[in-house]
Amino acid sequence: MCRESHDERRTTHGTDKSVLHETRYDVDDPITETVIEAISEVSNDPPTEMEPLYESVSPDALMDLFDRPSHVDVPARVEFRHHGYAVVIEDDGQVTICDTE
């Protein structure tokens, strides 16, 4: 989904989109807020003017995977589209926003 030059792990996934923004989520902040803030920064749209995240992905599922301690293995990567951007969340805390063209 996103093309990276400095992270070999991502380049091996056959990614082909340009990275527009990268950030890391903090376990003290909900992953959903990190995603919305990152997209807002790229799009220059306030979060209140964006469509709700639940129209693209289940916020509860994201929180189950990344925010809540669990004995279940977290997938290495979750990808979806929101507000016209590709979003990639890695289990190491990396959140990447890419173009979709």
Side-chain angles (χ1 to χ4, degrees):
M1 185 175 284
C2 297
R3 180 175 50 244
E4 289 284 333
S5 59
H6 70 280
D7 189 337
E8 185 63 31
R9 178 180 46 172
R10 276 180 265 251
T11 58
T12 61
H13 286 286
T15 59
D16 60 357
K17 304 297 180 194
S18 296
V19 172
L20 301 174
H21 182 71
E22 290 182 311
T23 189
R24 290 186 123 3
Y25 72 89
D26 184 333
V27 294
D28 294 330
D29 297 323
I31 186 65
T32 52
E33 285 184 23
T34 302
V35 168
I36 293 299
E37 289 170 4
I39 294 172
S40 177
E41 186 169 324
V42 170
S43 68
N44 292 318
D45 293 332
T48 56
E49 292 183 15
M50 296 168 47
E51 63 271 10
L53 188 60
Y54 65 77
E55 290 185 8
S56 301
V57 68
S58 168
D60 289 335
L62 288 180
M63 290 187 298
D64 284 344
L65 290 171
F66 297 103
D67 288 342
R68 299 177 182 141
S70 173
H71 299 290
V72 178
D73 289 334
V74 174
R77 181 181 184 101
V78 172
E79 301 177 14
F80 59 94
R81 292 177 188 256
H82 186 68
H83 199 64
Y85 297 94
V87 179
V88 179
I89 305 171
E90 305 273 351
D91 61 353
D92 65 357
Q94 184 74 31
V95 177
T96 306
I97 309 300
C98 303
D99 67 17
T100 57
E101 296 180 9

